[in-house]
């Protein structure tokens, strides 16, 4: 497998997370930071090359050999430094540049212009990314995670099965007939293991299930299965930072009642100016009376977005015990994410990890489009399974054969076929055709070509 | 302390040694030296068995290593390598005494080139080849070789590399440690091969060319003739001189040359300092020895060869500098401390440390004159961390202590004079090889007692690994369970 030469500028919390993930993926990573202590530490822990200096300094970039970099990521705490260093890097010959741009000023109307003028491949706003993820969770409240693929209308939705779920105790092949909906259970996580199920697989309570369905069918299916809860109407957000702003904006634009509790008066004023439809409360969210007074008990969802991980986790647990159906917790420190999940908070969102995931996928896409025939590659189920997207060329021998007759290697599932931008949830009688896109699900196995799925 | 990982790595290294021993076995087969063939075969069998057993028994579940594991792995790897590496000498009966054989092997691996042999020319080809081949392996480092060959899933392996590679700051030249190690070995191999070919062109026999190329590349210095390089033609002596200088240069610079980045190479302070010192020393020595040789070209050749040999810590010689005037001997004595550039195969203090210490001295003097002055010391165009400056001065102190201790122990020897003992300890700690007096270039270390040999053996190991790894491995707290 070929690797991508990547330069990461800024080794703060986000930068370190990104370069750790990229180095784990076997890429050639060069880290730049102007703090010699930080950079020394990075060099000791990760297999990366380190350069001490500023990302806007040409001689530093030259030392990092920016001209041969395929991907240049700037994620210092300053938007301006990020944009400038990406601009310089691009001018010096970096192939793709990605800047972390946080300030809403740049993000609202100017972003397209900035991206074009600076020739950025991508501008990533971790706050907005997190808000989008939370929005997805709120729109499909029973889903743990939603992975959208390059073709918009194909998604893998992860749900946790509860004790009373009607999906349990039935063979998968019977499930489909039972609900008469077009859906496919493609991956099951049980404990620490991941299974690619066949028709005889029986689900158990507590399983984490990844399924695909046509978007219109999902709501229908969930209703039929009795999983669909009532639609989210009232959302309470604790903390009025940037993520809260983006999330409140998205939610209120789609007609949800949003209430933000923020301790800082100035922030409250600003929020109420920017978001006229949102109710902004000035108060301390750690006070139980305030939460009850503002209707915690009747909220459909509670999102805790304060700056303190510990506070977010505690208040989220408190909200869960008061039967708020959906509780989302923002956690920044990666070590805390696992701990929080163990406490029973299943919607823990880490902006840092989201950003890192996006960049890892970006690097993989760069890598794969160059080396193999994989279009894109995604990790699902806590990185225990991989979803690969392939273009079908005429060289593939499996075209025109019904899927049930294809001799696949064990542990491989064809999760979807995309034909002229329409997603098909495949059954045994569907065939792969030339120029289709095929979505393959497998357990962490690296496949380079679509032919590799066949025995 | 991840003990399993330590023994697992050592197991791998021993297995690698078994593979590498095939080469001298082949040479022995070519020359039909049955004695050596059986000695090498037995060693290979033992190494393979021990190595594979160790890496199977200690297969680690947790591969994380920290700085302390890095140091311990390097120390024990070198000790195990030397213990197994001396078996062929003992088994073939050519160096029957254990202390002698151990000294000779460590001297080879640490690229010192000090020998206990009285008559080198009596040895068989296989043994001579293995002796010089250890120079080549030890020069760049055996663990670096492991990293270049074996798949590494460990970013923290930089700790091992840092413990084995010489110099105050070990940096990578490419992002991945495996690729860095590979590139270094490729450069090393190509340069060695280039020397081999140039020696062949000068009509040196094939076997001699290979052995001397290994000895120069590792900056080792085991010769195969009683008069070292003295008997070869002036052309061959010049070729070896130039390559001794080349192998004392930081290998990163060669990589920059391959990338066609000439500016950082030509502005490299350490390189100019290195070349400048050698030129100045060669000039003084030429002046000093001219009356002996009465020929300008001979004087220049001998002085250049000896200077290159001592500064790069190789230890070959074309003339017995024991017989030279005191001025020339004085210069050579000072040169023994310096060593080559950081990141080369040379031993010694390293030129970059010398520069950093000189800069620290200048800074302190200025600071005494202007107590309120604020000054940053720069090296290679970058501000120098106070932590690095401190570590360099501490290292220097430790280095002096090491030589002093070795020297005092040697002084217990009844039959050796002060000059011989002093230069023997300095020469071994700096991995140079020859000293003055009874341990001069045309003599050897054979006269020392077994205990003194063992002390010198460890002095060489301390010098090659730059003291800290062994010191830390001896520190009881390192071994405490967490």
């Amino acid at each position: 497998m070929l690797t991508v030469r990547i330069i990461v500028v800024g080794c703060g919390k986000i930068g370190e997370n990104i370069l750790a993930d990229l180095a784990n993926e076997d890429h050639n990573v060069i880290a730049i930071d102007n703090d010699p202590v930080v950079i020394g530490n990075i060099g000791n822990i990760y297999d990366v090359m380190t350069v001490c200096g500023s990302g806007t300094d040409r001689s530093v970039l030259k030392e990092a050999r920016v001209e041969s970099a395929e991907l240049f990521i700037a994620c210092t705490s300053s938007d301006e430094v990020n944009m400038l260093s990406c601009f310089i890097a691009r001018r010096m010959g970096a192939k793709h540049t990605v800047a972390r741009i946080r300030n809403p000023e740049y993000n609202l109307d100017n972003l397209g212009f900035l991206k074009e003028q600076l020739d950025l491949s991508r501008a990533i706003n971790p706050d907005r990314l997190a808000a989008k993820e939370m929005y997805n969770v709120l729109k499909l409240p029973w889903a743990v995670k939603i992975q959208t693929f390059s073709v918009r209308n194909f998604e893998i939705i992860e749900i946790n099965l509860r004790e009373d779920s009607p999906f349990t105790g039935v063979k998968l092949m019977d499930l489909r007939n039972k609900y008469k909906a077009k859906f496919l259970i493609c991956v099951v996580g049980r404990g620490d293991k991941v299974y690619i199920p066949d028709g005889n697989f029986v689900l158990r309570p507590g399983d984490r299930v990844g399924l695909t369905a046509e978007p219109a069918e999902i709501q229908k299916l969930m209703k039929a299965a009795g999983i669909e809860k009532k639609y989210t109407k009232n959302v309470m957000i604790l903390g009025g930072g940037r993520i809260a702003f983006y999330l409140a904006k998205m939610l209120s634009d789609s007609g949800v009642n949003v209430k933000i509790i923020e301790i800082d008066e100035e922030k409250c004023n600003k929020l109420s100016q920017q978001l006229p439809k949102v109710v902004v409360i000035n108060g301390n969210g750690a006070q139980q009376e305030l939460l009850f007074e503002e209707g915690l008990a009747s909220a459909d969802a509670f999102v805790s977005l304060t700056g303190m991980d510990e506070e977010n986790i505690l208040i989220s647990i408190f909200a869960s015990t008061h039967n708020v159906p959906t509780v989302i917790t923002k956690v920044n420190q990666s070590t805390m994410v696992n701990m929080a999940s163990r406490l029973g908070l299943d919607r823990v969102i880490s902006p840092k990890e989201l950003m890192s995931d996006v960049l890892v996928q970006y690097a993989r896409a760069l890598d794969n489009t160059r080396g193999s025939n994989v279009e894109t590659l995604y990790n699902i189920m806590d990185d225990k399974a991989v979803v690969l997207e392939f273009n079908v060329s005429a060289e593939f021998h499996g075209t025109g054969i019904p899927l049930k007759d294809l001799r696949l290697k064990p542990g491989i599932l064809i999760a979807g076929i995309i034909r002229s931008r329409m997603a098909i949830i495949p059954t045994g009688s569907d065939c792969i055709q030339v120029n289709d896109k095929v979505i393959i699900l497998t357990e962490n196995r690296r496949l380079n070509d679509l032919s590799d799925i066949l025995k | 302390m991840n003990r399993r990982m330590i023994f697992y790595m050592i197991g791998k290294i021993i297995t690698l040694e078994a593979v590498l021993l095939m080469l001298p076995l082949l040479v022995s087969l070519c020359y039909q030296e049955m004695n050596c063939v059986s000695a090498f075969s037995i060693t290979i069998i033992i190494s393979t068995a021990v190595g594979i057993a160790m890496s199977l028994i200690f297969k680690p579940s947790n591969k994380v290593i920290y700085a302390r594991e890095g140091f311990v792995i390097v120390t024990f790897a070198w000790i195990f390598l030397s213990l197994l590496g001396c078996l062929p000498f003992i088994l073939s009966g050519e160096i029957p005494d254990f202390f002698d054989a151990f000294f000779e092997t460590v001297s080879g691996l640490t690229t010192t080139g000090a020998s206990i042999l009285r008559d080198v020319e009596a040895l068989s080809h296989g043994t001579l080849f293995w002796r010089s081949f250890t120079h080549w392996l030890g020069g760049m480092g055996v663990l670096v070789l492991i990293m270049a060959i074996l798949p590494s899933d460990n970013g923290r392996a930089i700790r091992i590399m840092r413990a084995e590679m010489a110099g105050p700051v070990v940096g990578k030249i490419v992002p991945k440690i495996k690729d860095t190690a590979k590139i270094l070995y490729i450069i090393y191999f190509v340069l060695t091969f280039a020397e081999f070919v140039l020696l062949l062109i000068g009509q040196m026999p094939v076997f001699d060319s290979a052995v001397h190329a290994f000895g120069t590349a590792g900056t080792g210095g085991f010769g195969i003739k009683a008069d070292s390089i003295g008997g070869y033609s002036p052309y061959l002596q010049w070729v070896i001189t130039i390559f001794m200088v080349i192998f004392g240069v930081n290998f990163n610079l060669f990589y920059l040359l391959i990338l066609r980045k000439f500016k950082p190479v030509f502005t490299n302070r350490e390189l100019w300092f290195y070349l400048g010192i050698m030129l100045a020393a060669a000039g003084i020595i030429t002046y000093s020895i001219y009356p002996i040789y009465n020929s300008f070209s001979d004087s220049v050749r001998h002085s250049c060869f000896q200077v290159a040999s001592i500064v790069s810590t190789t230890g070959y010689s074309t003339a017995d500098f024991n017989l030279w005037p005191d001025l020339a001997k004085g210069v050579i004595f000072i040169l023994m401390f310096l060593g080559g550039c950081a990141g080369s195969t040379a031993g010694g203090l390293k030129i970059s440390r010398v520069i950093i210490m000189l800069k620290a001295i200048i800074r302190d003097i200025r600071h005494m004159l202007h107590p309120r002055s604020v000054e940053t010391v720069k090296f290679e165009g970058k501000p120098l961390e106070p932590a690095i400056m401190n570590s360099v001065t501490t290292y220097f102190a430790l280095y002096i202590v090491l030589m002093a201790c070795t020297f005092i122990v040697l002084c217990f020897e009844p039959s050796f004079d002060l000059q011989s003992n002093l230069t023997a300890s300095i020469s071994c700690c700096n991995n140079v090889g020859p000293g003055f007096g009874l341990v001069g270039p045309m003599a050897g270390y054979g006269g020392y007692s077994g205990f003194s040999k063992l002390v010198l053996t460890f002095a060489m190991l301390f010098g090659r690994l730059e003291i800290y790894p062994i010191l830390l491995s001896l520190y009881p707290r390192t071994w405490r369970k967490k």
Side-chain angles (χ1 to χ4, degrees):
Chain A
M1 198 159 160
L2 290 157
T3 55
V4 183
R5 198 179 160 83
I6 305 169
I7 297 180
V8 180
V9 176
C11 301
K13 276 185 278 175
I14 290 198
E16 183 178 347
N17 214 19
I18 291 169
L19 67 88
D21 285 355
L22 291 174
N24 249 342
E25 292 269 307
D26 222 25
H27 296 303
N28 285 317
V29 183
I30 299 147
I32 301 180
D33 197 288
N34 50 16
D35 186 338
V37 177
V38 169
I39 204 80
N41 201 21
I42 296 282
N44 275 336
I45 301 175
Y46 307 106
D47 196 4
V48 301
M49 188 163 125
T50 54
V51 178
C52 185
S54 160
T56 51
D57 185 342
R58 260 189 76 205
S59 62
V60 169
L61 294 180
K62 217 170 185 176
E63 194 185 333
R65 298 211 291 126
V66 72
E67 71 277 2
S68 63
E70 282 164 90
L71 181 56
F72 182 93
I73 300 166
C75 48
T76 70
S77 53
S78 155
D79 290 348
E80 291 77 13
V81 167
N82 292 343
M83 286 192 272
L84 184 59
S85 55
C86 276
F87 176 71
I88 299 172
R90 182 77 186 110
R91 281 296 164 97
M92 287 174 75
K95 277 212 193 80
H96 299 268
T97 53
V98 177
R100 169 187 176 218
I101 302 179
R102 264 188 107 176
N103 193 335
E105 260 173 50
Y106 298 123
N107 268 292
L108 292 176
D109 306 322
N110 296 328
L111 196 62
F113 178 75
L114 280 174
K115 261 178 80 175
E116 195 188 309
Q117 294 299 315
L118 297 171
D119 207 4
L120 288 174
S121 310
R122 271 191 90 153
I124 297 189
N125 181 349
D127 303 330
R128 199 185 184 129
L129 215 59
K132 178 83 190 161
E133 178 87 4
M134 291 169 190
Y135 176 79
N136 266 345
V137 171
L138 291 172
K139 283 299 257 185
L140 303 169
W142 30 265
V144 179
K145 201 175 170 189
I146 298 163
Q147 178 79 61
T148 310
F149 292 82
S150 66
V151 181
R152 275 291 153 100
N153 47 18
F154 186 83
E155 289 173 337
I156 288 190
I157 298 160
E158 290 177 27
I159 58 175
N160 281 340
L161 294 188
R162 302 195 174 210
E163 287 292 334
D164 53 351
S165 169
F167 284 178
T168 55
V170 188
K171 278 188 184 176
L172 290 189
M173 56 171 124
D174 301 328
L175 263 184
R176 206 159 165 167
N177 302 328
K178 189 173 160 190
Y179 292 107
K180 294 193 173 53
K182 279 198 168 178
F183 74 103
L184 182 67
I185 291 183
C186 16
V187 58
V188 179
R190 186 172 290 167
D192 280 341
K193 290 193 92 179
V194 163
Y195 303 88
I196 308 283
D198 57 11
N200 293 318
F201 198 88
V202 178
L203 294 172
R204 289 188 210 150
D207 283 354
R208 186 167 179 174
V209 170
L211 58 84
T212 76
E214 281 171 23
E217 304 257 317
I218 290 176
Q219 307 274 345
K220 208 173 91 186
L221 171 71
M222 292 303 144
K223 228 167 239 166
I227 291 173
E228 168 90 292
K229 296 177 210 168
K230 66 174 179 173
Y231 183 66
T232 310
K233 274 191 213 120
N234 299 305
V235 176
M236 186 184 272
I237 300 176
L238 189 63
R242 285 168 178 168
I243 301 179
F245 167 73
Y246 291 119
L247 178 61
K249 190 168 159 58
M250 285 180 215
L251 287 172
S252 64
D253 285 351
S254 72
V256 177
N257 301 323
V258 182
K259 194 175 273 179
I260 298 180
I261 300 175
E262 164 60 46
I263 199 163
D264 182 60
E265 196 174 344
E266 207 157 311
K267 270 191 189 168
C268 289
N269 285 332
K270 211 175 160 195
L271 281 171
S272 72
Q273 277 170 29
Q274 288 168 323
L275 305 164
K277 279 191 272 180
V278 171
V279 179
V280 182
I281 309 285
N282 182 9
N284 183 0
Q287 287 171 343
Q288 296 181 24
E289 308 91 80
L290 181 76
L291 291 177
F292 286 125
E293 195 184 322
E294 295 305 331
L296 176 69
S298 61
D300 301 319
F302 179 82
V303 187
S304 73
L305 299 174
T306 73
M308 296 261 296
D309 288 350
E310 295 83 351
E311 196 172 292
N312 287 338
I313 293 170
L314 277 178
I315 300 179
S316 297
I317 292 172
F318 177 74
S320 307
T321 55
H322 285 84
N323 298 325
V324 178
T326 311
V327 176
I328 301 178
T329 318
K330 182 197 80 164
V331 176
N332 277 331
Q333 284 162 273
S334 26
T335 44
M336 289 261 195
V337 175
N338 282 328
M339 286 191 221
S341 312
R342 297 235 165 142
L343 289 171
L345 297 171
D346 55 9
R347 278 138 200 160
V348 177
I349 288 176
S350 154
K352 202 167 73 174
E353 289 191 347
L354 285 175
M355 175 150 175
S356 178
D357 287 351
V358 169
L359 286 168
V360 166
Q361 280 180 10
Y362 195 83
R364 275 186 198 154
L366 281 183
D367 190 8
N368 292 325
T369 43
R370 191 187 48 200
S372 65
N373 295 324
V374 179
E375 277 283 290
T376 35
L377 193 154
Y378 302 91
N379 276 338
I380 59 166
M381 306 296 277
D382 299 332
D383 300 348
K384 286 183 193 116
V386 189
V387 182
L388 304 154
E389 205 175 302
F390 287 100
N391 272 334
V392 181
S393 66
E395 287 156 29
F396 179 61
H397 298 301
T399 50
I401 303 169
L403 293 184
K404 59 173 185 279
D405 298 331
L406 270 184
R407 288 171 57 82
L408 296 180
K409 282 180 188 162
I412 284 178
L413 182 115
I414 299 176
I417 300 172
I418 291 154
R419 191 167 296 155
S420 52
R421 296 194 69 77
M422 285 296 294
I424 298 167
I425 309 297
T427 58
S429 52
D430 284 312
C431 305
I432 296 174
Q433 293 176 8
V434 178
N435 292 332
D436 283 353
K437 275 185 178 171
V438 179
I439 291 167
I440 303 291
L441 210 144
T442 175
E443 291 170 68
N444 263 348
R445 197 168 306 159
R446 300 246 152 116
L447 303 168
N448 288 324
D449 193 86
L450 188 55
S451 314
D452 294 346
I453 66 169
L454 300 177
K455 262 184 188 161
Chain B
M1 198 69 185
N2 193 342
R3 291 182 198 181
R4 295 188 79 87
M5 186 65 189
I6 292 170
F7 290 115
Y8 174 72
M9 281 297 289
I10 292 171
K12 272 189 179 176
I13 288 157
I14 294 173
T15 322
L16 176 74
E17 191 180 25
V19 176
L20 292 169
L21 274 162
M22 304 279 184
L23 222 60
L25 175 68
L26 229 84
V27 173
S28 307
L29 279 171
C30 287
Y31 287 95
Q32 300 192 323
E33 295 157 345
M34 294 332 279
N35 198 16
C36 283
V37 171
S38 62
F40 283 118
S41 312
I42 294 170
T43 315
I44 290 171
I45 292 166
I46 294 176
S47 311
T48 317
V50 174
I52 291 179
M54 273 176 94
S55 40
L56 283 181
I57 294 171
F58 295 105
K59 199 161 180 66
S61 47
N62 168 18
K63 286 200 166 185
V64 177
I65 53 168
Y66 298 98
R68 55 170 89 185
E69 280 89 351
F71 286 130
V72 174
I73 287 174
V74 170
T75 307
F76 280 81
W78 278 73
I79 292 174
F80 272 85
L81 272 176
S82 310
L83 284 173
L84 284 167
C86 73
L87 282 181
F89 296 132
I90 300 173
L91 293 174
S92 66
E94 298 193 59
I95 309 178
D97 182 63
F98 167 74
F99 290 114
D100 284 352
F102 191 50
F103 181 94
E104 199 75 4
T105 316
V106 171
S107 172
L109 280 170
T110 59
T111 73
T112 308
S115 177
I116 44 78
L117 293 167
R118 289 197 172 80
D119 183 10
V120 177
E121 295 180 30
L123 290 190
S124 59
H125 288 90
T127 313
L128 283 174
F129 184 88
W130 173 235
R131 218 166 68 109
S132 293
F133 190 53
T134 54
H135 277 330
W136 197 78
L137 292 174
M140 190 55 84
V142 190
L143 288 143
V144 178
L145 181 59
I146 283 258
M147 269 169 232
I149 301 173
L150 295 181
S152 148
D153 40 6
N154 203 327
R156 296 170 194 253
I158 184 76
R159 311 235 189 225
I160 300 178
M161 186 155 160
R162 210 167 272 167
E164 194 178 40
M165 296 262 297
V169 194
V170 174
K172 293 183 191 170
I173 46 181
V174 289
K176 273 191 228 152
I177 192 160
K178 186 183 167 73
D179 297 340
T180 303
K182 240 186 226 163
I183 289 169
L184 288 176
Y185 255 97
I186 289 170
I187 294 174
Y188 192 42
F189 181 81
V190 168
L191 284 174
T192 313
F193 190 74
E195 187 189 352
F196 174 70
V197 171
L198 284 174
L199 290 176
L200 280 182
I201 291 172
Q203 285 167 350
M204 194 187 262
V206 178
F207 180 78
D208 300 24
S209 302
V211 166
H212 287 119
F214 287 147
T216 321
T219 68
F222 275 147
I224 52 168
K225 297 274 192 280
D227 59 353
S228 189
I229 310 294
Y232 292 102
S233 70
Y235 164 81
L236 293 173
Q237 296 184 1
W238 276 116
V239 168
I240 291 179
T241 308
I242 290 164
F243 275 94
M244 285 192 293
V245 174
I246 287 176
F247 284 109
V249 172
N250 190 339
F251 274 52
N252 291 5
L253 297 185
F254 297 127
Y255 184 64
L256 288 174
L257 284 181
I258 297 171
L259 293 178
R260 299 177 170 276
K261 294 204 166 184
F262 301 110
K263 207 180 148 207
V265 177
F266 289 115
T267 55
N268 189 281
R269 279 292 182 84
E270 191 182 19
L271 178 64
W272 288 116
F273 212 84
Y274 171 70
L275 296 174
I277 286 175
M278 284 201 285
L279 269 180
I284 298 173
I285 293 175
T286 309
Y287 161 76
S288 163
I289 62 172
Y290 185 71
I292 301 180
Y293 294 96
N294 259 326
S295 144
F296 184 67
S297 68
D298 280 357
S299 315
V300 169
R301 194 180 72 238
H302 286 311
S303 68
C304 286
F305 191 96
Q306 261 57 239
V307 165
S309 167
I310 299 295
V311 174
S312 67
T313 73
T314 309
Y316 281 139
S317 54
T318 56
D320 189 352
F321 52 69
N322 240 336
L323 308 172
W324 284 0
D326 281 345
L327 173 62
K329 281 167 85 173
V331 172
I332 287 177
F333 180 73
I334 296 299
L335 292 183
M336 282 184 179
F337 290 91
L338 297 181
C341 302
S344 69
T345 60
L349 188 59
K350 302 287 169 331
I351 303 288
S352 55
R353 285 207 181 90
V354 176
I355 301 177
I356 290 170
M357 278 192 295
L358 289 178
K359 292 200 170 199
I361 293 170
I362 294 170
R363 182 198 60 178
D364 282 3
I365 290 174
R366 281 202 202 152
H367 198 73
M368 285 172 199
L369 290 175
H370 308 281
R372 283 163 184 275
S373 69
V374 177
E375 228 180 311
T376 42
V377 179
K378 281 193 161 184
F379 181 54
E380 307 294 8
K382 286 200 166 166
L384 212 54
E385 287 290 298
I388 290 180
M389 290 182 65
N390 281 338
S391 77
V392 168
T393 41
T394 322
Y395 178 77
F396 182 68
L398 204 55
Y399 167 83
I400 297 293
V401 170
L402 170 69
M403 285 189 283
C405 293
T406 319
F407 171 59
I408 288 296
V409 175
L410 290 189
C411 285
F412 282 94
E413 289 280 337
S415 56
F416 281 78
D417 60 304
L418 190 79
Q419 179 191 262
S420 308
N421 284 334
L422 182 65
T423 50
S425 58
I426 290 169
S427 190
C428 283
C429 291
N430 286 301
N431 303 138
V432 178
F436 295 136
L438 297 172
V439 292
M442 302 302 160
Y445 289 74
Y448 278 111
S449 68
F451 178 70
S452 296
K453 277 176 196 156
L454 197 65
V455 170
L456 285 171
T457 305
F458 273 91
M460 291 189 274
L461 274 175
F462 268 104
R464 170 62 181 84
L465 301 180
E466 302 207 317
I467 307 176
Y468 284 115
I470 306 183
L471 212 57
L472 286 167
S473 307
L474 295 175
Y475 194 57
R477 248 188 210 184
T478 313
W479 288 91
R480 199 170 285 174
K481 266 192 181 159
K482 263 182 281 185

